[in-house]
Amino acid sequence: MLFSRHEGPKSFLAMSNPPGGDWSGLTLRDFKNGTDYRWTSLPRVSGLEGKRPDHVVAITDDNDRYILVAIESKDIAKKLEARVGPRMKKFTKDLLSSTPTIAKSNGAEWLQHIGSHNPQVDDIISVGAFCWSSVADLTESMSKGELDAAVGVEFDSNKEKAVLHVHFTSGASSFSSAMLRAIKGFGGRIEIQIH
């Protein structure tokens, strides 16, 4: 929800599989020309070395590098699988090595895509997300999952806001910046605490 409400020139929700959802496709937007590229058939089985992410967000950093954020979400940190970070990256890289099925330019209709595809992905960041419990869970999940970042989501019904507890490696600072940009549209109902 954070990124779907903040789509724009620097972020785009490429794929989302909430509970009850599906993995019907992944869409990348070329932020420079507005063209969307879509892979409509995702492998249901990724093998031992690959793991299909629950969500993928496309962002650009301050240097206009195109970055994909692959997110695995669980209700609690302990349910994150070992090495889920490298496995999500492998699945995403493998998918992007194939040609998109369809494409559309600036709101036109989807058409069969022929030829090479854009945009060029510069990096993939792996993230684990779960309900907040402790800083220890953030750091342990990053180590166990070999993740670039972890997000613990805390809901405060009394204050009617959510707090996102974030821990990340230096290589995932662009993800943190994207989150800070995205929360501005929530009128103070989302707060970020970096650990």
Side-chain angles (χ1 to χ4, degrees), residues 147-167:
L147 298 163
D148 299 309
V151 179
V153 182
E154 178 182 15
F155 299 99
D156 187 334
S157 58
N158 293 327
K159 295 182 180 177
E160 296 183 354
K161 74 174 185 179
V163 179
L164 305 178
H165 298 269
V166 183
H167 187 62

Side-chain angles (χ1 to χ4, degrees), residues 97-111:
S97 69
S98 66
T99 302
T101 313
I102 54 178
K104 69 175 179 175
S105 300
N106 296 319
E109 291 188 28
W110 290 104
L111 298 171

Side-chain angles (χ1 to χ4, degrees), residues 116-147:
S116 62
H117 62 278
N118 282 321
Q120 177 65 42
V121 174
D122 297 304
D123 196 10
I124 300 172
I125 294 172
S126 60
V127 177
F130 41 82
C131 291
W132 166 252
S133 57
S134 67
V135 173
D137 273 353
L138 288 178
T139 56
E140 287 170 18
S141 65
M142 285 182 62
S143 176
K144 174 185 172 185
E146 297 178 31
L147 298 163

